[in-house]
């Protein structure tokens, strides 16, 4: 059955309607190959946190299948980090070495980045290029704000990261 299918999110539609296929399981991960797919993931997780306290998506598996440029999409959509302090991402994200270009984020939140917080997760083969991130909070990084017991393999981040005077536990890749 599908990992991210909650009746209070997206009018009951499952996440698979916004990505390139898959059901979010280990053998059938959600497939991401376009900017719209990444925006759907961010939006779904944001709405899930806002509408429920259910972490139905926290253990989902994702696989990136192509280079993706987020520049245009993030000029009109404000990225909401995947995972929260109370509902961290516990799944797998495999970028397969494909680039995520143009990731931008300006945040004053605690635990912020592409992923806000990961616990017992696997994040591998991720390439964030030409990032432009500005942080004021604690536990902030371009890829992951706060990582606990997370397996990290083959990660590359390039671009600009600015941290305010109040930033603590901050890094270009992981906070």
């Amino acid at each position: 059955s599908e990992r991210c299918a909650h009746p209070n999110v997206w009018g009951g539609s499952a996440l698979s309607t916004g990505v390139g296929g898959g059901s979010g399981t280990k053998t059938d991960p959600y497939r991401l190959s376009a900017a719209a797919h990444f925006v759907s993931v961010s939006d779904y997780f944001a709405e899930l946190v806002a509408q429920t306290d259910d972490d139905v998506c926290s253990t989902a598996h994702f696989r990136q299948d192509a280079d993706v440029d987020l520049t245009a999409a993030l000029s009109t959509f404000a990225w909401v980090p995947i995972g929260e302090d109370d509902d961290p991402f516990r799944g797998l994200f495999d970028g397969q070495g494909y680039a995520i270009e143009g990731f931008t984020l300006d945040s004053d939140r605690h635990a912020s980045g592409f992923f806000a917080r990961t616990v017992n997760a696997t994040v591998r083969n991720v390439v964030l290029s030409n990032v432009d991130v500005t942080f004021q909070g604690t536990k902030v990084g371009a890829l992951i704000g706060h990582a606990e017991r997370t397996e990290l393999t083959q990660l590359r981040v390039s671009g600009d990261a600015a941290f305010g005077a109040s930033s603590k536990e901050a890094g270009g890749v992981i906070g």
Side-chain angles (χ1 to χ4, degrees), residues 123-143:
V123 180
R124 64 181 179 219
N125 307 315
V126 176
V127 178
L128 284 179
S129 57
N130 196 26
V131 301
D132 184 7
V133 294
T134 303
F135 297 114
Q136 299 296 327
T138 302
K139 295 186 180 181
V140 293
L143 181 59

Side-chain angles (χ1 to χ4, degrees), residues 2 12 14 20 23 35 46 53 65 71 75 110 127 129 131 135 141 152 157 165 169:
E2 181 150 355
S23 60
D53 54 353
D65 289 334
T71 306
S75 70
H110 169 76
V127 178
S129 57
V131 301
F135 297 114
L152 306 166
V157 176
E169 298 179 52

Side-chain angles (χ1 to χ4, degrees), residues 36-111:
H37 300 160
F38 282 86
V39 169
S40 290
V41 171
S42 175
D43 183 60
Y44 198 93
F45 272 83
E47 198 168 317
L48 185 69
V49 169
Q51 300 294 327
T52 76
D53 54 353
D54 189 346
D55 64 354
V56 64
C57 290
S58 69
T59 60
H61 288 68
F62 296 88
R63 184 184 76 209
Q64 185 177 347
D65 289 334
D67 290 332
V68 174
D69 189 343
L70 296 177
T71 306
L74 294 184
S75 70
T76 58
F77 175 82
W79 183 263
V80 178
I82 299 166
E84 290 281 319
D85 258 351
D86 294 339
D87 294 314
F89 180 72
R90 291 180 161 84
L92 176 135
F93 185 94
D94 187 349
Q96 297 197 108
Y98 291 108
I100 301 169
E101 176 84 21
F103 175 67
T104 59
L105 181 63
D106 187 347
S107 176
D108 60 359
R109 296 172 32 145
H110 169 76

